[in-house]
């Protein structure tokens, strides 16, 4: 379906539904599994940390591999999705049903399998969504539908373990979560396959790998990278901010849930506004709005939970635009560069930059805090807490300001 009537909500849901289990399965990989193996299974922190570092490097390289495979055999995109879904389900199930011995090896193997599956599904889901319709407004609406399902899956992944753990224990709760992921994928993949067979979104028309005009795509990547880093820093530091600066550790779950719930209407608003005004201007406006929230965050002090809840609402709403609009903008640049044959590799690079930003945020913020004498869950000096706030809010504020300038200048010059 490359032209003609606008796709129906049912058709877009058939495409976007797969994002729900994809996001639902992503949270255990990055949040639950490391802490579960350390706290519940007693793996040594040093060995687990080294293993995680290797896995993060592997994970960052899997997106480009998935992009190359998908571009090399474009008619097998559906097969790659099915294979990736199976690997994701098996990997997460294995993670939370560990054997009695060799648990570090088991952890590494299960994480690698699940990460490969996640990359295969996510890269192809983004690529096919961009290739479905050429109209920029429709592409933004399609992206909004996908990200709304993804956020629903993320909210479910936040709520479910917390709700079940008091009743059955954390280990069984995570095992139930892994089983539910398999069930969700068993339902979502056939729905996605039915959508794929009905629409055939130009995937088979994409040629085999050929040189990519990266210089035509470079302005987009240079603009999106500071946004990704500005989101990764608060993600790495929010629990410390809530516990050590605000002194409200029991409200951390509420703040996170508020943020993700606010992003749901943010995705829909971003898609609707981009269809009317264009993706780049809407994204610039959302970035400026989020900058106001980060500026207000710099005034936070102990006990100011109401103020931080309002910040979570506003930044979460703007986060919806960060999810929806970059993929839509990227595919527009891919078409302008005549690089549809390399769409999966281009989206794979976006995935790589996202994971690299997460790694860089931790590598930058945590050592700086340690040098300043910051100690998690212990009394800290005003200087150490000030640095925490600067890394959480001031640095993201500056990074988003840089992104706004890059987007504005390059959009006026026709490069984005």
């Amino acid at each position: 379906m490359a032209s003609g009537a606008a796709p129906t909500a049912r058709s877009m849901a058939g495409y976007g539904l797969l994002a729900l289990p994809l996001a639902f399965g992503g949270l255990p990989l990055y949040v639950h599994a490391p802490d579960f193996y350390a706290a519940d299974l007693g793996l040594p922190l040093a060995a687990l940390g080294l293993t995680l570092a290797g896995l993060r490097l592997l994970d960052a390289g899997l997106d480009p591999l998935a992009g190359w495979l998908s571009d090399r055999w474009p008619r097998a995109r559906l097969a790659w999705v099915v294979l990736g879904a199976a690997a994701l389900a098996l990997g997460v199930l294995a993670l939370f049903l560990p054997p009695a011995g060799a648990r570090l090896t088991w952890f590494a193997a299960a994480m690698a399998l699940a990460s490969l599956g996640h990359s295969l599904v996510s890269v192809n889901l983004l690529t096919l969504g961009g290739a479905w319709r050429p109209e920029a407004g429709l592409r933004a609406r399609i992206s909004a539908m996908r990200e709304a399902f993804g956020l629903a899956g993320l909210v479910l992944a936040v709520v479910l373990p917390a709700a079940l753990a008091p009743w059955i224990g954390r280990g069984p709760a995570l095992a139930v979560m892994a089983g539910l992921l398999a069930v969700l994928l068993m339902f979502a993949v056939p729905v996605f396959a039915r959508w794929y067979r009905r629409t055939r979104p130009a995937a088979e028309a994409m040629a085999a790998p050929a040189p990519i005009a990266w210089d035509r795509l470079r302005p987009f990547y240079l603009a999106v990278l500071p946004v990704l880093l500005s989101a990764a820093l608060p993600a790495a530091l929010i629990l410390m901010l809530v516990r050590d600066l605000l002194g409200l550790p029991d409200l951390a779950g509420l703040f996170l849930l508020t943020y993700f719930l606010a992003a749901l209407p943010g995705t829909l608003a971003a898609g609707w506004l981009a269809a009317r005004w264009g993706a780049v201007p809407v994204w610039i406006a959302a970035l400026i709005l989020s900058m106001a929230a980060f500026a207000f965050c710099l005034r936070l002090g102990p006990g100011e939970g109401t103020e931080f809840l309002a910040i979570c609402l506003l930044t979460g709403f703007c986060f919806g635009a960060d999810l929806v609009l970059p993929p839509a903008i990227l595919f527009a640049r891919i078409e302008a560069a005549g690089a549809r044959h390399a769409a999966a590799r281009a989206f794979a690079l976006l995935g790589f930059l996202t994971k690299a930003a997460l790694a860089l945020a931790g590598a930058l913020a945590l050592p700086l805090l340690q040098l300043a004498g910051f100690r998690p869950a212990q009394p800290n000096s005003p200087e150490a807490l000030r640095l925490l706030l600067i890394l959480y809010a001031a640095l993201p504020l500056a990074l988003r300001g840089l992104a706004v300038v890059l987007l504005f200048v390059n959009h006026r010059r026709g490069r984005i």
Side-chain angles (χ1 to χ4, degrees), residues 205-235:
M206 297 179 185
I212 307 174
W214 290 114
D215 59 317
R216 303 281 299 277
L217 304 180
R218 190 179 299 117
F220 166 80
Y221 292 123
L222 290 177
V224 80
L225 183 56
V227 179
L228 295 173
L229 187 56
S230 73
L233 283 164

Side-chain angles (χ1 to χ4, degrees), residues 97-148:
L97 295 171
R103 283 176 168 170
L104 186 61
T105 302
W106 184 272
F107 171 78
M111 282 283 287
L113 179 63
S115 297
L116 175 60
H118 195 276
S119 292
L120 283 171
V121 177
S122 62
V123 166
N124 282 286
L125 188 65
L126 287 170
T127 303
L128 291 172
W132 184 4
R133 295 297 296 256
E135 304 95 329
L138 288 178
R139 191 179 293 128
R141 286 177 54 199
I142 293 164
S143 183
M145 179 68 78
R146 179 189 65 241
E147 299 304 335

Side-chain angles (χ1 to χ4, degrees), residues 238-255:
I238 184 170
L239 294 180
M240 296 180 189
L241 185 88
V242 171
R243 180 187 59 231
D244 300 304
L245 178 68
L246 300 181
L248 302 169
D250 294 340
L251 296 181
L254 174 63
F255 293 139

Side-chain angles (χ1 to χ4, degrees), residues 54 80 93 240 263 380:
W80 292 126
L93 278 170
M240 296 180 189
N380 286 286

Side-chain angles (χ1 to χ4, degrees), residues 1-398:
M1 186 185 292
S3 60
T8 63
R10 181 177 179 180
S11 182
M12 288 192 292
Y15 159 73
L17 178 63
L18 187 57
L20 192 154
L22 186 66
F24 182 82
L27 195 69
L29 297 181
Y30 299 110
V31 176
H32 294 303
D35 189 62
F36 173 68
Y37 273 77
D40 292 51
L41 301 184
L43 288 188
L45 286 177
L48 187 62
L50 288 173
T51 303
L52 274 173
L55 287 167
R56 292 289 182 260
L57 291 173
L58 173 66
D59 191 22
L62 287 175
D63 277 1
L65 173 62
W68 181 84
L69 289 171
S70 300
D71 281 336
R72 179 64 182 82
W73 291 283
R75 297 188 180 185
R77 291 187 193 275
L78 181 57
W80 292 126
V81 169
V82 173
L83 178 64
L88 177 60
L90 289 173
V92 174
L93 278 170
L95 266 177
F96 298 112
L97 295 171
R103 283 176 168 170
L104 186 61
T105 302
W106 184 272
F107 171 78
M111 282 283 287
L113 179 63
S115 297
L116 175 60
H118 195 276
S119 292
L120 283 171
V121 177
S122 62
V123 166
N124 282 286
L125 188 65
L126 287 170
T127 303
L128 291 172
W132 184 4
R133 295 297 296 256
E135 304 95 329
L138 288 178
R139 191 179 293 128
R141 286 177 54 199
I142 293 164
S143 183
M145 179 68 78
R146 179 189 65 241
E147 299 304 335
F149 274 112
L151 284 166
L154 196 56
V155 168
L156 181 60
V158 169
V159 171
L160 186 64
L164 291 178
W167 297 93
I168 62 176
R170 187 163 78 141
L174 292 172
V176 169
M177 186 177 181
L180 180 58
L181 170 62
V183 172
L184 290 172
L185 285 169
M186 289 174 63
F187 176 75
V189 169
V191 173
F192 177 82
R194 192 177 306 118
W195 165 83
Y196 181 86
R197 294 189 181 102
R198 287 177 177 174
T199 58
R200 295 291 182 183
E204 291 83 355
M206 297 179 185
I212 307 174
W214 290 114
D215 59 317
R216 303 281 299 277
L217 304 180
R218 190 179 299 117
F220 166 80
Y221 292 123
L222 290 177
V224 80
L225 183 56
V227 179
L228 295 173
L229 187 56
S230 73
L233 283 164
L237 300 173
I238 184 170
L239 294 180
M240 296 180 189
L241 185 88
V242 171
R243 180 187 59 231
D244 300 304
L245 178 68
L246 300 181
L248 302 169
D250 294 340
L251 296 181
L254 174 63
F255 293 139
L256 286 170
L257 188 60
T258 299
Y259 178 82
F260 290 125
L261 286 175
L264 280 167
T267 61
L268 300 177
W272 183 81
L273 290 170
R276 291 176 60 89
W277 305 104
V280 176
V282 172
W283 195 22
I284 290 174
L287 289 170
I288 293 173
L289 187 59
S290 68
M291 288 171 64
F294 279 117
F296 182 67
C297 189
L298 288 170
R299 303 179 60 185
L300 284 177
E304 295 185 332
T306 302
E307 292 82 351
F308 190 62
L309 190 67
I311 290 169
C312 290
L313 278 169
L314 185 54
T315 55
F317 184 81
C318 296
F319 179 60
D322 293 346
L323 290 173
V324 169
L325 300 179
I329 295 169
L330 176 56
F331 207 91
R333 300 315 306 160
I334 290 170
E335 290 193 325
R340 287 177 66 93
H341 62 279
R345 280 172 285 167
F347 276 105
L349 180 55
L350 179 60
F352 171 82
L353 291 177
T354 301
K355 293 171 181 177
L358 288 168
L360 182 59
L364 173 68
L366 299 183
L368 286 175
L369 285 171
Q370 183 174 338
L371 286 173
F374 178 82
R375 296 174 297 174
Q378 297 185 44
N380 286 286
S381 67
E383 293 77 17
L385 292 175
R386 186 62 183 171
L387 177 61
L388 174 63
L389 195 55
I390 288 172
L391 292 170
Y392 183 91
L395 187 52
L397 175 62

